[in-house]
Amino acid sequence: MPLTTPPLAPQTLKTLQQLGIATLQDLQAHGAVAAFLLLKAAGLTITRSTLWQLAALTQNRTPQALAEAEKAALLDALRRHPPVAVFPPQAEMEHFMHQALVQAELSTAAGEIPVGAVVVHQGKIIAAAHNTCIADHNISHHAEIRALAEAGRVLQNYRLDHCDVYITLEPCSMCASALIQARIRRVIYGAAEPKSGAAGSIINLFADNRLNRHTAVLGGVAARACQERLQQFFRHKRNRPSESL
């Protein structure tokens, strides 16, 4: 069933449609709180009454039927919700992810685990890096850490709140912490890391209420290409047992 005006205000309805939330089923899949935060992230000026409307719609009720306890629960969920952002179009994200994959290839050539990262500021890559832990004898030299350091030098600021970071592999806890501390706006990664991923696979540091939350995360962009790069690397390593990581 398509969303309509009324009950939604025309600009709210238009923005939801632009966000890909055009039907009641779409709204229910996202949830009222996430949809409300997406509207705000899209730049719409809205009040709590919009949250009540969205919640009521998901339940086939009127806003007036919501009890005060239900409204309080919605506000609490709003406070606890992980950061939300409007992400770039899929084609744009895949373009930048493929640039990160170019960096991952440099890791492969050097015998390092193939992970690459690029930092994007105002639509342009300002930093690109790959893993160099083995060559530098430094466990902190993951692609993300090196890319953040280079972006800081370019912008002359360790705070990178207007930047996006594209990573071929879900960040570990060390890198997730660095991304959060740098106040990166959006993190987009390719393949999930089931053994140490800190963006949802093992833990989601980006959603932890105890930390400063500035960074929205999206995984699965060009995931197959990113995963295949890793699988090829480790197949090659298994066939050459004398080499160690």
Side-chain angles (χ1 to χ4, degrees), residues 224-240:
R224 182 173 179 178
C226 295
Q227 187 65 44
E228 286 178 350
R229 178 63 270 166
L230 286 159
Q231 290 172 342
Q232 289 170 6
F233 174 80
F234 285 111
R235 275 199 300 269
H236 176 73
K237 284 293 181 183
R238 283 194 296 270
N239 290 335
R240 300 179 66 175

Side-chain angles (χ1 to χ4, degrees), residues 157-241:
N157 196 336
Y158 73 101
R159 290 281 170 81
L160 304 172
D161 49 327
H162 296 297
C163 295
D164 298 335
V165 177
Y166 289 79
I167 316 159
T168 58
L169 182 66
E170 180 183 358
C172 67
S173 57
M174 176 182 68
C175 293
S177 296
L179 292 160
I180 292 168
Q181 291 295 324
R183 300 193 179 186
I184 291 297
R185 178 177 57 166
R186 298 178 295 202
V187 166
I188 300 100
Y189 68 86
E193 173 46 281
K195 294 182 179 179
S196 61
S201 289
I202 297 298
I203 189 173
N204 190 348
L205 291 182
F206 298 97
D208 195 321
N209 285 326
R210 296 166 296 181
L211 303 174
N212 291 327
R213 296 179 301 157
H214 306 284
T215 305
V217 182
L218 178 67
V221 175
R224 182 173 179 178
C226 295
Q227 187 65 44
E228 286 178 350
R229 178 63 270 166
L230 286 159
Q231 290 172 342
Q232 289 170 6
F233 174 80
F234 285 111
R235 275 199 300 269
H236 176 73
K237 284 293 181 183
R238 283 194 296 270
N239 290 335
R240 300 179 66 175

Side-chain angles (χ1 to χ4, degrees), residues 106-107 109-113 130-139 141 146 244-245:
L106 297 177
S107 290
E112 306 264 359
I113 295 176
H130 57 279
N131 278 5
T132 60
C133 298
I134 298 171
D136 296 343
H137 312 293
N138 191 327
I139 191 60
H141 281 196
R146 297 183 64 235
S244 59
L245 295 181

Side-chain angles (χ1 to χ4, degrees), residues 90-119:
Q90 187 70 22
E92 179 179 332
M93 291 192 292
E94 289 181 359
H95 166 73
F96 286 124
M97 189 61 73
H98 284 293
Q99 297 306 304
L101 275 167
V102 170
Q103 290 295 311
E105 289 291 344
L106 297 177
S107 290
T108 299
E112 306 264 359
I113 295 176
V115 179
V118 297
V119 180

